Amino acid sequence: MFCYQCEQTLRTPTGVGCNSLGICGKDNTTANLQDLLIHALSGLSIYAQSARTIGVIDPKIDAFVAEALFSTLTNVNFDPQRMQNYIHQAVAMREELSARYIAACEAQGIVPKQPNLTAANYQAATGLDGLLEQADSIGFDMRSLNLNEDLTGLYGLVLFGLKGLAAYTDHAKMLGHTNPQIYAAIHDCLAFLASESDDANAYLEWALKVGATNYQTMELLDKAHTETYGHPEPTQVRITPLKGKCILVSGHALNDLEDILKQTTGKGINVYTHGELLPALAYPKFKQYPHLVGNYGGAWQDQQTEFAAFPGSIVMTTNCLIQPQNSYNQRLFTTHAVGWAGIPHIENHDYSPVISAALAAPGFSSDANEAKFITTGFARKTVLNAAPQVIELVKNGSIKHFFLIGGCDGAKSGRNYYTEFAHQVPKDSIILTLGCGKYRFNKDDFGDIGGIPRLLDMGQCNDAYSAIQVAVALAEAFNCSVNQLPLSLIISWFEQKAAAVLLTLLYLGIENIYLGPTLPAFLTPNVVNILVEKFKLHPTGVASKDLAQTYNA
Ligand code: FSO
Ligand code: SF4
């Protein structure tokens, strides 16, 4: 195996990349099958691309490609059997689609294209050993023999951004929102990657195209969330437990949370959000469920201790799953693209096994001694409603600067940078935050400026669109560009959704982003130089120094 798609990848003095067992716990077999799955999906997309040109579009295939890509994100699916199933499905779908494509060409008097790329003609071996042998010839390490290090890294930049985009596409689809253009772009991108281009500019162009499509996707996801659940409103969320049986729902999928709430109504079970699902509590529709009682725990990397201490069942709806421990693996469940061998997988939205496990578990024996709360729900509508007041506070000098300190969390000590940064932000500045990185400081009291809280939690990393809309609206109000606003972006990245959001910000021409805690390992020094030159991208350094540079800018 060779994998360097996430921030925590193995870094040694001699190189980067997990090459025997992932730091995330992904083993050699699963990693190689995931590479092979990308190969199989590329073959399917090559045909989906051609078929679209003559009007053959299959929403089932589109959705499958997005979900299968999602399964290869960091901390999503560690189950080799599921990977094998996805590979065989991809090849079977391609065969079926190519037959339909050829028939449609014949009916329209067109000569069908016969793609000669290996991905388009890939036949999956029947057994695991055969698949692993096939994987040996197409993984990242083989790619770097054919393409140089810069091109391999650029391939990674496009592929990892695409994976994030596919995850957001899958999220929107789960809420019934799709856009054929987005799927077409995913197929085009996979077909491009299968071409093994040696043109660095083509990769850079594709990276920005992924950013552009991801922007469309995030808008669609925002629409999906707000049309289904209403616009988030500032909400005090309980973060201490209540007596009773309980279910913990982690990940990002609001629709799964809704299904669980519906199926537990009247059953005497309290439901808690975990990690990136915290912002769900701010949506009006979720307030209809009194048994959604609060949030339990913090960001994903603490799940092994938090899940062990949680006395009920736990559902992981999306990333970030880490190796389940014996102390809770009997009451852990996965849904959708998520998987871990031996952990029950919920199919067809039927959460009855989760409910049975919650009823069998002890639950909390009493309310927490002290009730504690945090505030979330400052998504675009709430912030934009307060825009006149915010603009006035900027004009009269009460607000001098905005800092977006957002993105992912992780286990590395270098991530204290974000806590230190947030704590050092001057009192005349507002902190916008989103993603799971906020757990490093969201229980702290930052006070307010003229009634506007200094810490505004805008939601999940999935809600980055909301933050972009606020920046665009402020720029309009001050008649300047986003880059001219007194706004600094201090981004923490971990996995491929964050890579997709970064590409969107670059596509939008946003400059001076501070990115950390380390730069992506797949970005070679030459590519970093391009990004620094073109977008003034900064690697994060020392919080106080970076703050001085941004605040005085
Ligand atoms: Fe965090 Fe994980 Fe939201 Fe990511 S839970 S790290 S970018 O998957 O999705 O911020
Ligand atoms: Fe390593 Fe990250 Fe890949 Fe896991 S996802 S194998 S930690 S680079």
Side-chain angles (χ1 to χ4, degrees):
M1 73 177 276
F2 178 84
C3 181
Y4 61 174
Q5 68 176 356
C6 84
E7 196 275 332
Q8 70 177 0
T9 192
L10 183 67
R11 291 169 204 254
T12 65
T14 50
V16 291
C18 297
N19 51 22
S20 54
L21 174 68
I23 305 269
C24 59
K26 184 164 72 176
D27 65 15
N28 199 46
T29 300
T30 307
N32 287 333
L33 289 173
Q34 287 186 350
D35 286 348
L36 195 59
L37 174 57
I38 300 295
H39 188 65
L41 291 172
S42 302
L44 174 57
S45 281
I46 289 167
Y47 273 99
Q49 184 185 42
S50 300
R52 282 178 123 76
T53 61
I54 57 160
V56 178
I57 296 175
D58 187 332
K60 273 206 301 300
I61 290 176
D62 291 348
F64 169 78
V65 170
E67 181 190 316
L69 280 170
F70 197 171
S71 76
T72 70
L73 262 72
T74 300
N75 289 343
V76 173
N77 199 317
F78 300 81
D79 184 348
Q81 188 54 54
R82 293 269 303 281
M83 288 304 129
Q84 291 178 71
N85 298 348
Y86 279 134
I87 291 168
H88 289 297
Q89 264 178 291
V91 173
M93 282 180 170
R94 189 199 70 215
E95 300 276 272
E96 192 250 343
L97 181 63
S98 70
R100 277 160 62 196
Y101 166 63
I102 291 165
C105 284
E106 275 168 13
Q108 294 177 36
I110 298 167
V111 181
K113 284 190 201 159
Q114 284 187 317
N116 58 5
L117 293 168
T118 50
N121 299 299
Y122 165 65
Q123 290 301 332
T126 40
L128 177 60
D129 289 347
L131 290 173
L132 291 176
E133 211 172 293
Q134 291 180 330
D136 277 344
S137 58
I138 52 91
F140 253 90
D141 28 9
M142 282 309 290
R143 186 171 310 280
S144 55
L145 294 180
N146 301 332
L147 297 174
N148 66 34
E149 211 191 336
D150 289 335
L151 290 169
T152 308
L154 284 167
Y155 172 94
L157 177 65
V158 177
L159 174 63
F160 305 147
L162 178 72
K163 288 184 179 193
L165 153 63
Y168 289 133
T169 307
D170 191 50
H171 277 298
K173 157 82 177 45
M174 285 189 233
L175 290 163
H177 288 246
T178 56
N179 175 346
Q181 281 178 359
I182 294 171
Y183 289 114
I186 292 174
H187 294 309
D188 289 351
C189 188
L190 277 173
F192 163 73
L193 289 172
S195 73
E196 308 250 322
S197 168
D198 58 4
D199 177 353
N201 284 329
Y203 285 102
L204 284 168
E205 275 169 28
W206 259 108
L208 295 184
K209 270 195 233 173
V210 168
T213 308
N214 190 53
Y215 188 44
Q216 251 185 315
T217 310
M218 301 210 80
E219 181 180 12
L220 184 71
L221 183 56
D222 179 281
K223 192 166 179 276
H225 282 160
T226 53
E227 283 187 5
T228 315
Y229 301 113
H231 283 273
E233 36 193 40
T235 304
Q236 291 258 299
V237 172
R238 187 182 173 103
I239 55 168
T240 44
L242 290 171
K243 182 180 175 180
K245 303 281 181 186
C246 48
I247 295 175
L248 189 59
V249 192
S250 190
H252 304 69
L254 299 181
N255 52 305
D256 288 327
L257 178 62
E258 187 186 19
D259 287 340
I260 290 166
L261 287 166
K262 279 185 185 158
Q263 292 175 34
T264 48
T265 296
K267 292 206 157 54
I269 298 173
N270 289 328
V271 177
Y272 297 81
T273 59
H274 177 264
E276 278 281 66
L277 267 172
L278 156 70
L281 288 130
Y283 286 87
K285 188 140 181 222
F286 284 109
K287 294 181 179 170
Q288 295 170 6
Y289 299 98
H291 60 301
L292 176 60
V293 293
N295 187 75
Y296 179 90
W300 65 273
Q301 74 275 4
D302 297 326
Q303 68 188 251
Q304 287 175 331
T305 37
E306 289 171 357
F307 290 0
F310 187 78
S313 52
I314 304 149
V315 183
M316 186 53 87
T317 64
T318 63
N319 33 3
C320 281
L321 173 68
I322 47 183
Q323 180 160 27
Q325 302 295 293
N326 289 340
S327 49
Y328 59 84
N329 63 7
Q330 298 304 311
R331 45 197 173 85
L332 178 68
F333 299 82
T334 60
T335 60
H336 305 296
V338 191
W340 191 286
I343 297 295
H345 189 69
I346 298 298
E347 303 279 3
N348 304 320
H349 309 270
D350 176 7
Y351 289 93
S352 41
V354 176
I355 293 169
S356 302
L359 292 172
F364 287 104
S365 55
S366 61
D367 291 358
N369 288 341
E370 189 194 350
K372 290 190 187 152
F373 296 85
I374 55 174
T375 308
T376 186
F378 292 94
R380 63 185 165 87
K381 190 148 184 272
T382 297
V383 177
L384 293 178
N385 282 347
Q389 195 188 346
V390 172
I391 290 163
E392 188 47 41
L393 289 167
V394 173
K395 284 189 176 154
N396 71 22
S398 303
I399 297 177
K400 291 254 169 38
H401 207 94
F402 298 87
F403 290 92
L404 175 75
I405 308 178
C408 319
D409 208 350
K412 279 192 189 162
S413 56
R415 289 184 180 268
N416 283 341
Y417 169 93
Y418 297 96
T419 324
E420 287 165 22
F421 200 109
H423 287 166
Q424 290 172 27
V425 162
K427 296 266 180 286
D428 58 10
S429 302
I430 298 279
I431 301 170
L432 306 165
T433 192
L434 45 78
C436 58
K438 63 170 163 266
Y439 279 106
R440 290 190 173 254
F441 48 81
N442 70 347
K443 294 177 192 78
D444 304 332
D445 183 6
F446 286 86
D448 69 280
I449 302 176
I452 304 286
R454 282 190 59 236
L455 178 69
L456 301 174
D457 178 4
M458 305 195 75
Q460 304 177 331
C461 60
N462 291 23
D463 300 312
Y465 176 79
S466 202
I468 293 169
Q469 293 316 295
V470 168
V472 168
L474 283 176
E476 268 171 27
F478 291 108
N479 200 19
C480 66
S481 71
V482 169
N483 287 328
Q484 290 167 323
L485 283 172
L487 165 71
S488 303
L489 276 70
I490 316 295
I491 306 291
S492 54
W493 87 283
F494 174 66
E495 44 84 350
Q496 301 75 46
K497 282 181 174 174
V501 173
L502 177 68
L503 293 179
T504 295
L505 295 173
L506 299 183
Y507 154 74
L508 292 171
I510 311 280
E511 295 176 348
N512 284 312
I513 296 169
Y514 282 69
L515 182 67
T518 51
L519 290 183
F522 50 86
L523 296 183
T524 57
N526 288 333
V527 177
V528 169
N529 285 344
I530 295 172
L531 298 180
V532 168
E533 206 175 300
K534 208 165 169 203
F535 300 102
K536 304 193 180 80
L537 188 76
H538 301 263
T540 52
V542 174
S544 56
K545 287 190 185 152
D546 292 351
L547 177 61
Q549 269 182 7
T550 47
Y551 183 66
N552 293 328

